[in-house]
Amino acid sequence: MSVQSDMRRLTAPDIRARKGGEPIVMLTSYHAHTASIADKHCDVILVGDSLGMVMHGLETTVPVTLDMMILQGRAVMRGSRRALVVVDMPFGSYEASKEQAFMSAVRVLKETGCGAIKLEGGKRMAETIRFLVERGVPVMAHVGLTPQSINTIGSFRAQGRDEADWGPIEQDTLAVSQAGAFSVVIEAVAEPLARKLTGAVPIPTIGIGASNACDGQVLVMEDMLGLSPRVPKFVKRYGELGPGIDKAIADYAAEVRSRAFPGPQHVYPMKVPKG
C-alpha cells in the first residue's frame, strides 16, 4: 500500500459514519506545530474562532474576522495530514443570507484546503445549512450555548438546566440534522438533554460541556493543557504547561542577566586554520 493511501485524510462522510461507534476525538488548534501533534491522536481538528480569545486576548469571539480564520486554517492544514480539519465561520460572515454564507465558505475551503466549515445556530440557520450542503460544502452545526451570540445571551451560561427550556434546543438539533449537517457540536447543555439529543438524531453529536453519551468530545487545546488562566467547569486539565513555561522563561531570563547563557557550547568559535 502506498504512503499516500496510508495517510488519507479523514472526510466529513467518515465522521458522519461514526455515529454510535468509537467516540470521535476533537481538539482545537490554530498553529502548524500544535496541529502536527494533535493530528497523531485526533479525528477532527477544529480551527475555532476561540482563537480570538486564546491567541489575541479578545473578550469574546465576536471581533474575529474571516481573514483571521483563513490564516490560521492554512497553518493547521500545513501541520496536519490525517485529521479532518474544520474551520469556524466567524460572526458576520454567514448570517446575512445563504449567498453570503456560501461565498464565505467557498473562500475558506479554497484558501485553506480544509474539509468542512462550522457555523452556529439551529433552526434559524437550517435553510443556510441546506443551501451550503446542496452546493458541496460540508457543514458541522453548533447548538446549545453559541458564543457568537454572547451579546444577546448576556453570559456564557449553561443551557437547558430547566426542562421547560429543552424544546427550542431539541428543535434546533433536529433542524440542523434534517438540513444536512454531518455532525453537530452541543455546547454547555444539561447532561440529560445532551444525552437525549444524541439519541434523537442520526448524525454524530460532539459534546463540550454536554454528556459522556455524545458521539465525541471537543475541548480548546489551551484549556486542557493548562495554558488558559481561567476555564469553564466542563474543562479537565490534562497538563499544566502554564507553570512550566513560566519557570522556563524565568530561568532563561536569570541566566541571561547573570551571563550564564549563552555558554561555550552555544556559541561558534573561529575555524582552526588548515595545515
Side-chain angles (χ1 to χ4, degrees), residues 135-146:
R135 286 156 180 78
V137 179
V139 178
M140 177 180 283
H142 185 149
V143 301
L145 174 62
T146 49

Side-chain angles (χ1 to χ4, degrees), residues 158-217:
Q159 307 292 299
R161 299 188 73 180
D162 186 329
E163 194 168 351
D165 299 328
W166 284 18
I169 302 172
E170 292 181 90
Q171 293 168 19
D172 282 344
T173 309
L174 289 170
V176 300
S177 174
Q178 292 165 0
F182 72 90
S183 61
V184 55
V185 170
I186 301 177
E187 180 168 358
V189 164
E191 196 281 335
L193 174 56
R195 183 178 293 270
K196 181 181 180 182
L197 294 174
T198 298
V201 294
I203 60 173
T205 58
I206 311 293
I208 179 166
S211 173
N212 182 265
C214 289
D215 298 292
Q217 302 293 329

Side-chain angles (χ1 to χ4, degrees), residues 79-138:
S80 62
R81 298 180 65 189
R82 175 187 169 275
L84 170 67
V85 175
V86 179
V87 177
D88 261 340
M89 299 279 277
F91 179 72
S93 68
Y94 62 93
E95 297 93 337
S97 67
K98 304 186 301 292
E99 292 75 17
Q100 182 207 27
F102 179 71
M103 294 308 296
S104 296
V106 165
R107 274 200 65 196
V108 171
L109 294 176
K110 281 180 173 287
E111 296 182 33
T112 70
C114 73
I117 59 94
K118 181 170 78 66
L119 53 77
E120 295 183 5
K123 282 198 306 180
R124 65 183 175 84
M125 295 309 304
E127 186 179 352
T128 294
I129 292 171
R130 182 173 291 105
F131 186 87
L132 293 177
V133 172
E134 288 174 349
R135 286 156 180 78
V137 179

